[in-house]
Amino acid sequence: MNTLFPEVKGRFGFGCMRLPMAGEEVDLDHFAAMTDRFLAGGFNYFDTAHGYISEKSETAIRACLTSRHPRESYILTDKLSGNYFETQADIRPLFERQLAACGVEYFDFYLLHAMSASRYGQYTDCRAFQIVQELKAEGKIRHVGMSFHDTADVLDRILTDHPELEVVQLQFNYLDFDDPRVQSRACYEVCVKHNKPVIVMEPVKGGKLADLPPAARAELEPLGGLSPAGAALRFCASFPNVCMILSGMGSMDMMEDNLSAMSIPGPLGEEEMAAVFRARDVLAAQKAIPCTGCRYCVDGCPASIPIPELFACVNDRAQGRAVSYQAAVEGRGRASQCVKCGKCEEICPQHLEIRSLLARTAQIFE
Ligand code: SF4
Ligand code: SF4
């Protein structure tokens, strides 16, 4: 049982921004089997958003979870995403489409998505904070919160303005813990100050902390047989105000690895924590492009540039790994074809300067 939300089982959630894929489509058989395994493993929390996997996540959840399991057997979180509404009048129809896409009559948690200083005005002007409370009063939402991507100061201001928010979803992992841009630690402390439980997203930083270079991996030796992904999850589980840790799992093997790490009770010890921070220091020294591969930027790009794949090429090359830039751009736009419209930067939750990073990418590979 989750001590903060008794209907939630455990502190491990199935993040449905990344799912097993068969080409461009979700591999529904694989996802259904993972869903069953997850529920059988004693957990029940699923997280999605309308835009995840080019709008295929919600319908995959309907096919593999909500149409196959009784409503009381799972907890489903969805989000109100700022790129899907322009006016107050757009919000309720969007919400109803989300319920239909997921095949449910209510959401257990509904989060104002990717809140930041720049999004705050839109959510306020469109009365989003009030509308989600109205939906809660109508029984269509059980709990209201927000997911957040900005500095601790901004978080403090929004939580002060909106004490009715019950929970905050934060990007939280050991690499971003003291990162001046992400501010995982400082944001966590703001949540503690406001008495808001934290849902962790990106605990493995888009898979980066699962696939460590040898020098960083060597630092994790004191954690025994734990995999790098398992170490990243257990780092997050060591913070008492964390009520949920979401992991995006692309295969049954990843799920088994995650389940086994999350079945270990208690926080990391002092020596284990020190080892994790040494691994962090090794990674931080590499100065990789901090793209998490969320793909929010991809659908709106008029030049069809596979932005996260190209940044992965840059990062892999810096680590001395084999890279095929040609394969990454096959049938898609090249970095040099960026028309600098800036749409990707408006939506990137990591606030990356994508245009200048693509110019650097083109310089390296083209
Ligand atoms: S700035 Fe470049 S990469 Fe970004 S959306 Fe526009 S064309 Fe695509
Ligand atoms: S560039 Fe930004 S929006 Fe695009 S995949 Fe990376 S983190 Fe996500």
Side-chain angles (χ1 to χ4, degrees):
M1 194 177 84
N2 186 298
T3 51
L4 294 161
F5 298 99
E7 67 274 37
V8 179
K9 292 185 183 170
R11 291 203 293 163
F12 180 44
F14 198 151
C16 298
M17 188 172 82
R18 299 179 181 89
L19 290 175
M21 302 296 289
E24 297 290 308
E25 302 302 320
V26 177
D27 181 341
L28 295 179
D29 289 342
H30 197 160
F31 180 35
M34 289 172 68
T35 297
D36 296 349
R37 173 71 184 95
F38 184 73
L39 292 170
F43 299 97
N44 66 349
Y45 188 97
F46 293 79
D47 170 272
T48 189
H50 196 55
Y52 286 177
I53 320 182
S54 303
E55 301 180 15
K56 294 171 185 168
S57 174
E58 289 176 330
T59 50
I61 283 174
R62 186 180 64 212
C64 299
L65 175 68
T66 66
S67 65
R68 298 175 60 248
H69 292 278
R71 183 65 184 93
E72 65 278 9
S73 68
Y74 58 84
I75 299 294
L76 184 58
T77 293
D78 210 326
K79 308 189 189 78
L80 176 64
S81 307
N83 50 323
Y84 284 101
F85 68 91
E86 286 180 3
T87 68
Q88 173 182 337
D90 297 333
I91 293 178
R92 275 181 177 265
L94 168 62
F95 180 82
E96 294 297 334
R97 287 202 302 281
Q98 291 181 276
L99 287 178
C102 291
V104 293
E105 294 184 346
Y106 67 91
F107 291 120
D108 298 276
F109 289 78
Y110 196 63
L111 310 182
L112 303 177
H113 192 189
M115 185 66 72
S116 64
S118 58
R119 281 275 182 218
Y120 189 36
Q122 178 195 2
Y123 283 102
T124 304
D125 294 347
C126 293
R127 292 189 68 252
F129 288 93
Q130 288 82 2
I131 292 170
V132 292
Q133 291 302 327
E134 290 161 16
L135 288 164
K136 183 179 171 188
E138 292 164 25
K140 293 180 171 178
I141 297 171
R142 297 274 158 94
H143 301 284
V144 170
M146 68 174 167
S147 69
F148 182 82
H149 289 280
D150 210 324
T151 61
D153 287 349
V154 174
L155 179 59
D156 195 23
R157 176 158 62 92
I158 295 175
L159 287 178
T160 303
D161 292 350
H162 291 283
E164 76 278 12
L165 295 174
E166 295 166 77
V167 66
V168 179
Q169 187 161 308
L170 287 179
Q171 179 167 330
F172 188 94
N173 59 66
Y174 66 80
L175 186 55
D176 290 326
F177 196 57
D178 290 311
D179 180 278
R181 214 170 24 84
V182 181
Q183 302 187 1
S184 289
R185 181 211 296 257
C187 287
Y188 173 86
E189 284 167 359
V190 168
C191 289
V192 171
K193 176 180 136 186
H194 286 269
N195 200 21
K196 303 297 175 192
V198 169
I199 298 172
V200 167
M201 58 180 156
E202 301 290 6
V204 191
K205 199 163 168 69
K208 278 185 186 50
L209 304 183
D211 186 19
L212 298 177
R217 189 165 186 144
E219 296 293 357
L220 295 179
E221 287 279 313
L223 278 77
L226 213 52
S227 69
L233 294 177
R234 289 215 55 225
F235 170 81
C236 299
S238 301
F239 292 81
N241 197 45
V242 167
C243 68
M244 177 55 56
I245 300 161
L246 301 175
S247 179
M249 295 168 283
S251 71
M252 189 67 91
D253 286 348
M254 282 188 207
M255 173 167 281
E256 293 296 350
D257 177 72
N258 285 192
L259 285 172
S260 114
M262 289 303 291
S263 68
I264 301 170
L268 292 177
E270 213 172 294
E271 199 188 318
E272 293 173 316
M273 210 46 130
V276 168
F277 282 123
R278 286 197 302 276
R280 182 269 310 266
D281 293 343
V282 171
L283 292 172
Q286 294 183 333
K287 298 194 188 310
I289 298 173
C291 167
T292 60
C294 69
R295 308 191 67 77
Y296 291 181
C297 55
V298 173
D299 285 342
C301 173
S304 299
I305 297 171
I307 299 164
E309 284 84 354
L310 301 196
F311 290 165
C313 285
V314 175
N315 289 343
D316 285 347
R317 182 177 178 272
Q319 283 187 19
R321 298 182 185 194
V323 169
S324 176
Y325 181 76
Q326 288 313 321
V329 296
E330 183 69 39
R332 313 288 302 275
R334 304 166 75 82
S336 59
Q337 289 171 321
C338 170
V339 296
K340 304 208 181 322
C341 66
K343 281 187 186 168
C344 52
E345 292 182 16
E346 282 169 22
I347 202 168
C348 176
Q350 308 304 317
H351 311 297
L352 300 183
E353 292 177 0
I354 295 174
R355 288 170 285 190
S356 70
L357 289 167
L358 283 176
R360 192 174 119 205
T361 306
Q363 254 176 7
I364 295 170
F365 292 105
E366 297 181 29

